[in-house]
Amino acid sequence: MNDAVLITGASGGIGAACARAAAERGFRVALHYHGAEQKARALAAELRAGGCDAEAFGADAADSGSVGACVRAAEARFAHLDGLICCAGVALQKQLQDVTDGEWRRVLDVNLSGAFYFIRAALPGMLARHRGSIVTVSSVWGVRGGSCEAAYSAAKAGLIGLTRALAQEVGPAGVRVNCLAPGVIDTAMCAGFSPETRAALAEETPLGRLGTPEDAARAALFLLEHPFVTGQVLGVDGGF
């Protein structure tokens, strides 16, 4: 039986690309969504049409009970989960003094606490089998910080700390934990950028272009599958 991987935020750009890449690598794929059920179910149908065993599951990443139910449903459907890729996230572009309490909590709840909830729910099964691979998705802003993105940068930096600490904690039990730190990736999060801003970001990137979701997904699958890589933060940013 092929390994099963749960991908959070699988209806988004990087998440959907990870799902397709995992299917191509022979994984059975559990697709998490919140609010984009139609897109997630269409992607599951697309993967099944290509011969992949795939199913979509809904949950609010910011709600631990909802996440726990999602993971239990995925484990029941696929017998167990061998991998977890945490792509679910929300962005916020505001000067810090203008960020409301609610906005701050939402950004941290989805990006950081959401990953924690999914990992905490999936980890017992991995520890029981002494095998598993977890990939968190941070950002270049989590590494270096971004102007007018303090809340997002804080949440993504938290993911890096979570990854490095957890890798030390669960490595002896055979579970690996790594982090992907994408640069400027051409997804819906960039949809609000003007053509001038997009051009400037591409110019700031030494490789001269924005990244694609597929660029990030290939790196995520490398981290998911490599048997001797753990506790690492892999920048996929074109040298940004």
Side-chain angles (χ1 to χ4, degrees):
M1 183 181 294
N2 293 348
D3 284 356
V5 59
L6 170 61
I7 299 169
T8 77
S11 57
I14 292 177
C18 285
R20 292 186 176 100
E24 289 173 3
R25 298 289 296 167
F27 283 88
R28 296 175 295 143
V29 182
L31 307 163
H32 158 261
Y33 65 87
H34 179 241
E37 179 176 1
Q38 186 173 355
K39 288 177 65 177
R41 296 201 180 282
L43 178 56
E46 173 194 320
L47 298 184
R48 287 194 296 269
C52 172
D53 186 3
E55 192 66 59
F57 303 87
D60 180 355
D63 184 301
S64 62
S66 179
V67 167
C70 174
V71 171
R72 289 191 295 273
E75 288 176 329
R77 169 66 173 76
F78 292 101
H80 54 76
L81 294 175
D82 305 280
L84 172 66
I85 304 177
C86 297
C87 297
V90 293
L92 178 68
Q93 295 177 338
K94 263 190 173 183
Q95 291 185 327
L96 183 65
Q97 68 269 24
D98 297 326
V99 175
T100 68
D101 291 358
E103 289 170 335
W104 174 266
R105 283 193 296 268
R106 183 63 180 169
V107 171
L108 266 69
D109 283 349
V110 174
N111 291 291
L112 181 55
S113 296
F116 161 68
Y117 296 147
F118 272 104
I119 292 169
R120 184 177 63 180
L123 200 53
M126 295 181 181
L127 294 174
R129 295 190 313 280
H130 297 281
R131 69 185 304 268
S133 179
I134 297 167
V135 180
T136 63
V137 179
S138 178
S139 166
V140 66
W141 302 138
V143 176
R144 58 180 284 181
S147 175
C148 297
E149 302 216 34
Y152 183 78
S153 297
K156 292 300 189 177
L159 280 175
I160 292 173
L162 172 63
T163 297
R164 287 176 167 156
L166 189 60
Q168 299 289 328
E169 183 176 326
V170 300
V175 178
R176 297 181 300 102
V177 191
N178 290 287
C179 182
L180 192 70
V184 185
I185 306 296
D186 195 6
T187 66
M189 283 191 180
C190 294
F193 293 164
S194 67
E196 293 77 18
T197 297
R198 291 169 62 89
L201 289 169
E203 187 175 350
E204 285 184 59
T205 303
L207 290 184
R209 65 173 177 87
L210 304 185
T212 67
E214 291 72 27
D215 290 327
R218 282 192 288 270
L221 266 291
F222 166 80
L223 293 174
L224 185 71
E225 293 186 296
H226 200 293
F228 201 58
V229 175
T230 195
Q232 303 304 305
V233 179
L234 177 58
V236 183
D237 56 17
F240 188 85

